[in-house]
Amino acid sequence: MTIKALFWDIGGVLLTNGWDREQRSDVVRRFGLSAEAEELHERHKLAAPELEVGRMTLDEYLEQVVFYAPRDFTPADFRAAMEAESRPNEASLALARDLGQRWRMYSLNNEGRDLNEYRIRTYGLRDFLQGFFSSCYLGVMKPSPAIYRLGLSLAQVSPAEAVMIDDRLQNVQAARYVGLHAIQFVSAEQLREELAGLGVE
Protein backbone atom coordinates (compact mmCIF):
# COMPACT_ATOMS: atom_id res chain seq x y z
CA MET A 1 0.00 0.00 0.00
CA THR A 2 1.25 3.50 -0.80
CA ILE A 3 2.56 5.60 2.09
CA LYS A 4 0.43 8.70 2.64
CA ALA A 5 1.69 10.18 5.93
CA LEU A 6 4.80 10.38 8.08
CA PHE A 7 4.68 10.75 11.86
CA TRP A 8 7.76 12.22 13.54
CA ASP A 9 8.93 12.07 17.11
CA ILE A 10 10.54 15.42 18.01
CA GLY A 11 12.92 14.80 20.93
CA GLY A 12 15.81 12.59 19.90
CA VAL A 13 14.95 12.88 16.19
CA LEU A 14 14.37 16.47 15.01
CA LEU A 15 15.72 18.08 18.19
CA THR A 16 17.52 16.97 21.31
CA ASN A 17 15.25 15.63 24.02
CA GLY A 18 13.35 18.37 25.78
CA TRP A 19 13.41 17.42 29.46
CA ASP A 20 14.79 13.91 29.76
CA ARG A 21 17.20 12.60 32.39
CA GLU A 22 20.30 14.10 30.73
CA GLN A 23 18.73 17.55 30.38
CA ARG A 24 17.44 17.49 33.96
CA SER A 25 20.87 16.50 35.29
CA ASP A 26 22.54 19.40 33.45
CA VAL A 27 20.11 21.98 34.81
CA VAL A 28 20.12 20.56 38.35
CA ARG A 29 23.92 20.78 38.40
CA ARG A 30 23.92 24.30 36.97
CA PHE A 31 21.61 25.53 39.73
CA GLY A 32 23.59 23.85 42.51
CA LEU A 33 20.88 21.31 43.33
CA SER A 34 22.98 18.17 43.03
CA ALA A 35 22.55 17.37 46.74
CA GLU A 36 18.79 17.21 46.14
CA ALA A 37 19.00 15.33 42.85
CA GLU A 38 17.34 12.17 44.17
CA GLU A 39 14.47 14.13 45.75
CA LEU A 40 14.01 16.11 42.53
CA HIS A 41 14.02 12.90 40.50
CA GLU A 42 11.34 11.31 42.68
CA ARG A 43 9.19 14.42 42.47
CA HIS A 44 9.67 14.51 38.69
CA LYS A 45 8.53 10.89 38.33
CA LEU A 46 5.24 11.70 40.04
CA ALA A 47 4.59 14.99 38.22
CA ALA A 48 5.91 14.29 34.71
CA PRO A 49 3.02 12.12 33.47
CA GLU A 50 0.54 14.85 34.43
CA LEU A 51 2.70 17.43 32.67
CA GLU A 52 3.04 15.39 29.50
CA VAL A 53 -0.66 14.61 29.10
CA GLY A 54 -1.57 18.27 29.55
CA ARG A 55 -3.15 18.12 33.02
CA MET A 56 -0.40 20.23 34.62
CA THR A 57 1.24 23.45 33.42
CA LEU A 58 4.99 23.94 33.48
CA ASP A 59 4.58 26.47 36.30
CA GLU A 60 2.64 23.92 38.34
CA TYR A 61 5.26 21.27 37.61
CA LEU A 62 8.08 23.58 38.73
CA GLU A 63 6.21 24.45 41.93
CA GLN A 64 6.00 20.76 42.85
CA VAL A 65 9.35 19.53 41.57
CA VAL A 66 11.77 22.43 42.19
CA PHE A 67 10.17 25.23 44.20
CA TYR A 68 8.85 23.11 47.07
CA ALA A 69 11.63 24.80 49.08
CA PRO A 70 13.00 28.38 48.99
CA ARG A 71 15.47 29.00 46.15
CA ASP A 72 17.93 31.77 45.33
CA PHE A 73 16.76 31.75 41.70
CA THR A 74 13.35 32.30 40.11
CA PRO A 75 11.01 30.00 38.20
CA ALA A 76 11.71 32.16 35.14
CA ASP A 77 15.46 31.52 35.52
CA PHE A 78 14.88 27.78 35.79
CA ARG A 79 12.44 27.72 32.88
CA ALA A 80 14.93 29.58 30.67
CA ALA A 81 17.57 26.98 31.52
CA MET A 82 15.14 24.18 30.62
CA GLU A 83 14.44 25.80 27.26
CA ALA A 84 18.15 26.26 26.60
CA GLU A 85 18.61 22.47 26.74
CA SER A 86 16.76 22.16 23.41
CA ARG A 87 19.01 22.11 20.37
CA PRO A 88 18.36 21.22 16.73
CA ASN A 89 19.45 18.08 14.94
CA GLU A 90 20.35 19.99 11.79
CA ALA A 91 20.70 16.95 9.52
CA SER A 92 17.33 15.44 10.37
CA LEU A 93 15.64 18.86 10.30
CA ALA A 94 16.99 19.41 6.78
CA LEU A 95 15.70 15.99 5.72
CA ALA A 96 12.27 16.67 7.24
CA ARG A 97 12.04 20.10 5.58
CA ASP A 98 12.84 18.51 2.23
CA LEU A 99 10.34 15.66 2.65
CA GLY A 100 7.71 18.09 3.89
CA GLN A 101 7.55 19.63 0.41
CA ARG A 102 6.11 16.38 -0.96
CA TRP A 103 4.58 14.44 1.94
CA ARG A 104 1.91 14.91 4.61
CA MET A 105 3.77 14.98 7.89
CA TYR A 106 2.80 15.31 11.55
CA SER A 107 4.45 15.12 14.93
CA LEU A 108 3.52 12.28 17.25
CA ASN A 109 5.44 13.02 20.43
CA ASN A 110 5.38 13.07 24.22
CA GLU A 111 5.86 16.57 25.66
CA GLY A 112 4.34 19.03 28.11
CA ARG A 113 2.43 21.87 26.48
CA ASP A 114 4.71 24.80 27.42
CA LEU A 115 7.95 23.19 26.31
CA ASN A 116 6.32 21.64 23.25
CA GLU A 117 5.07 25.01 22.03
CA TYR A 118 8.42 26.67 22.75
CA ARG A 119 10.20 24.04 20.65
CA ILE A 120 7.68 24.19 17.79
CA ARG A 121 7.98 27.97 17.64
CA THR A 122 11.75 28.25 18.13
CA TYR A 123 12.73 25.66 15.53
CA GLY A 124 10.10 26.44 12.89
CA LEU A 125 8.45 23.02 13.04
CA ARG A 126 5.18 24.46 11.72
CA ASP A 127 6.98 25.09 8.43
CA PHE A 128 6.89 21.41 7.49
CA LEU A 129 4.62 19.58 9.97
CA GLN A 130 0.92 19.92 9.22
CA GLY A 131 -0.26 19.03 12.72
CA PHE A 132 1.05 18.25 16.19
CA PHE A 133 -0.35 15.07 17.69
CA SER A 134 1.40 15.62 21.00
CA SER A 135 0.61 13.88 24.28
CA CYS A 136 -0.24 17.22 25.90
CA TYR A 137 -3.06 17.74 23.39
CA LEU A 138 -4.28 14.16 23.01
CA GLY A 139 -4.17 13.24 26.72
CA VAL A 140 -2.31 9.97 26.11
CA MET A 141 1.38 9.12 25.79
CA LYS A 142 3.55 6.80 23.75
CA PRO A 143 3.98 3.87 23.92
CA SER A 144 0.23 3.47 24.51
CA PRO A 145 -1.36 2.04 21.35
CA ALA A 146 -4.13 4.63 21.82
CA ILE A 147 -1.92 7.55 20.77
CA TYR A 148 -0.96 5.90 17.49
CA ARG A 149 -4.60 5.10 16.73
CA LEU A 150 -5.59 8.69 17.51
CA GLY A 151 -2.85 10.00 15.23
CA LEU A 152 -4.03 7.76 12.41
CA SER A 153 -7.63 8.85 12.90
CA LEU A 154 -6.72 12.54 12.94
CA ALA A 155 -4.59 12.16 9.81
CA GLN A 156 -7.25 9.96 8.18
CA VAL A 157 -4.84 7.25 7.11
CA SER A 158 -4.71 3.52 7.73
CA PRO A 159 -1.77 2.00 9.65
CA ALA A 160 -0.36 0.51 6.43
CA GLU A 161 -0.33 3.98 4.86
CA ALA A 162 1.77 5.58 7.62
CA VAL A 163 5.35 5.61 8.88
CA MET A 164 6.36 6.38 12.48
CA ILE A 165 9.90 7.72 13.05
CA ASP A 166 11.15 7.49 16.63
CA ASP A 167 14.48 7.07 18.38
CA ARG A 168 13.14 4.80 21.15
CA LEU A 169 12.81 1.12 20.35
CA GLN A 170 9.81 0.63 22.65
CA ASN A 171 7.89 3.33 20.79
CA VAL A 172 8.88 1.85 17.43
CA GLN A 173 7.68 -1.58 18.55
CA ALA A 174 4.39 -0.12 19.83
CA ALA A 175 3.78 1.59 16.48
CA ARG A 176 4.44 -1.67 14.65
CA TYR A 177 2.02 -3.47 16.96
CA VAL A 178 -0.70 -1.05 15.81
CA GLY A 179 0.26 -1.83 12.19
CA LEU A 180 2.30 1.22 11.18
CA HIS A 181 5.59 1.00 9.36
CA ALA A 182 8.11 2.22 11.92
CA ILE A 183 11.75 3.23 11.75
CA GLN A 184 14.08 3.58 14.73
CA PHE A 185 16.02 6.78 14.12
CA VAL A 186 19.81 6.56 14.39
CA SER A 187 20.98 9.18 11.91
CA ALA A 188 19.58 11.30 9.09
CA GLU A 189 21.40 9.23 6.48
CA GLN A 190 20.12 5.92 7.89
CA LEU A 191 16.61 7.38 8.04
CA ARG A 192 16.77 8.61 4.45
CA GLU A 193 17.79 5.14 3.26
CA GLU A 194 15.07 3.32 5.22
CA LEU A 195 12.39 5.76 4.08
CA ALA A 196 13.51 5.29 0.47
CA GLY A 197 12.97 1.57 0.96
CA LEU A 198 9.32 2.40 1.70
CA GLY A 199 9.06 4.63 -1.37
CA VAL A 200 9.39 7.88 0.60
CA GLU A 201 11.93 10.07 -1.18
Side-chain angles (χ1 to χ4, degrees):
M1 190 173 288
T2 303
I3 300 300
K4 294 184 178 177
L6 307 182
F7 295 98
W8 294 79
D9 185 27
I10 294 177
V13 179
L14 297 172
L15 310 177
T16 56
N17 285 316
W19 191 234
D20 214 341
R21 182 180 295 269
E22 181 183 339
Q23 289 75 36
R24 295 197 308 275
S25 296
D26 285 347
V27 174
V28 163
R29 186 168 52 252
R30 197 178 319 156
F31 281 90
L33 298 173
S34 296
E36 296 177 60
E38 187 58 35
E39 171 73 9
L40 293 167
H41 177 64
E42 290 303 314
R43 286 174 171 268
H44 168 81
K45 283 200 303 185
L46 291 174
E50 293 298 293
L51 178 71
E52 294 197 350
V53 296
R55 292 194 293 258
M56 181 181 285
T57 68
L58 184 54
D59 287 341
E60 291 164 342
Y61 167 88
L62 291 175
E63 182 68 26
Q64 289 195 19
V65 175
V66 180
F67 293 91
Y68 59 88
R71 303 297 183 195
D72 59 2
F73 50 87
T74 68
D77 294 333
F78 199 89
R79 181 173 179 146
M82 291 176 70
E83 292 173 350
E85 288 292 311
S86 291
R87 289 178 296 279
N89 181 337
E90 298 289 2
S92 57
L93 276 174
L95 173 58
R97 287 181 190 281
D98 176 54
L99 292 170
Q101 298 177 56
R102 299 178 297 283
W103 297 90
R104 289 167 53 200
M105 305 201 315
Y106 310 89
S107 81
L108 205 161
N109 63 307
N110 292 342
E111 195 85 84
R113 180 183 295 264
D114 301 78
L115 197 53
N116 195 52
E117 292 176 357
Y118 166 81
R119 284 151 66 83
I120 292 167
R121 182 175 64 252
T122 301
Y123 295 101
L125 305 187
R126 291 190 199 95
D127 295 346
F128 57 90
L129 295 175
Q130 294 176 275
F132 294 88
F133 305 152
S134 307
S135 61
C136 58
Y137 307 135
L138 301 184
V140 63
M141 294 170 59
K142 295 182 294 185
S144 171
I147 195 169
Y148 302 99
R149 293 185 182 118
L150 270 171
L152 291 165
S153 295
L154 291 166
Q156 287 294 289
V157 292
S158 71
E161 294 171 328
V163 183
M164 179 73 223
I165 301 157
D166 203 300
D167 62 314
R168 297 186 184 227
L169 178 59
Q170 185 174 356
N171 293 338
V172 168
Q173 291 170 331
R176 288 176 181 157
Y177 174 81
V178 174
L180 287 86
H181 302 275
I183 297 172
Q184 184 176 12
F185 176 82
V186 176
S187 69
E189 187 54 38
Q190 162 261 344
L191 177 58
R192 186 187 295 275
E193 290 176 5
E194 292 199 39
L195 284 172
L198 293 170
V200 178
E201 295 182 279

